Amino acid sequence: ADYGTTGIFRVRQSQPFTREERNAVMQKANDLLGTYEPYHLFKRNCEHAAFALSPRRRHTWVSPMVPMMFWNMFRAALGSIGVLCLLVTKKH
């Protein structure tokens, strides 16, 4: 498979879907429309739906962006605590 870059992400381009895979995706998308649940940032966002529709990902309902966001929030909190500690110790 070829790799391309868009921004900071590396995108893997796989082989085109077969007719059967396309039909399975369309059927799954129609089923998903019939059982629609409201959008939720952590449980049901657009990335969850895209992974659920992919026949090559075993129809998993996941979003890699959610744990990455939590990790970045944790890092930002630690950085903020570090800055506060530096400011407090600098005053003394």
Side-chain angles (χ1 to χ4, degrees):
D2 295 328
Y3 287 90
T5 55
T6 57
I8 60 171
F9 299 101
R10 182 166 280 226
V11 179
R12 182 173 182 252
Q13 298 171 343
S14 61
Q15 298 298 321
F17 284 157
T18 64
R19 182 177 301 275
E20 293 79 22
E21 288 174 323
R22 276 195 308 273
N23 289 339
V25 168
M26 290 171 40
Q27 181 62 44
K28 183 77 173 169
N30 286 330
D31 294 344
L32 191 59
L33 286 173
T35 60
Y36 173 76
E37 293 187 38
Y39 177 86
H40 189 280
L41 179 63
F42 303 120
K43 295 186 226 173
R44 289 178 301 277
N45 65 34
C46 58
E47 213 172 47
H48 285 92
F51 277 97
L53 293 175
S54 176
R56 296 181 184 163
R57 294 214 178 251
R58 299 182 307 245
H59 305 290
T60 53
W61 193 259
V62 298
S63 173
M65 189 181 296
V66 173
M68 183 178 72
M69 182 206 45
F70 283 129
W71 172 247
N72 286 331
M73 287 172 55
F74 176 70
R75 289 178 51 204
L78 282 180
S80 299
I81 291 169
V83 167
L84 288 175
C85 289
L86 288 172
L87 290 174
V88 167
T89 56
K90 187 176 182 181
K91 288 182 182 180
H92 294 289

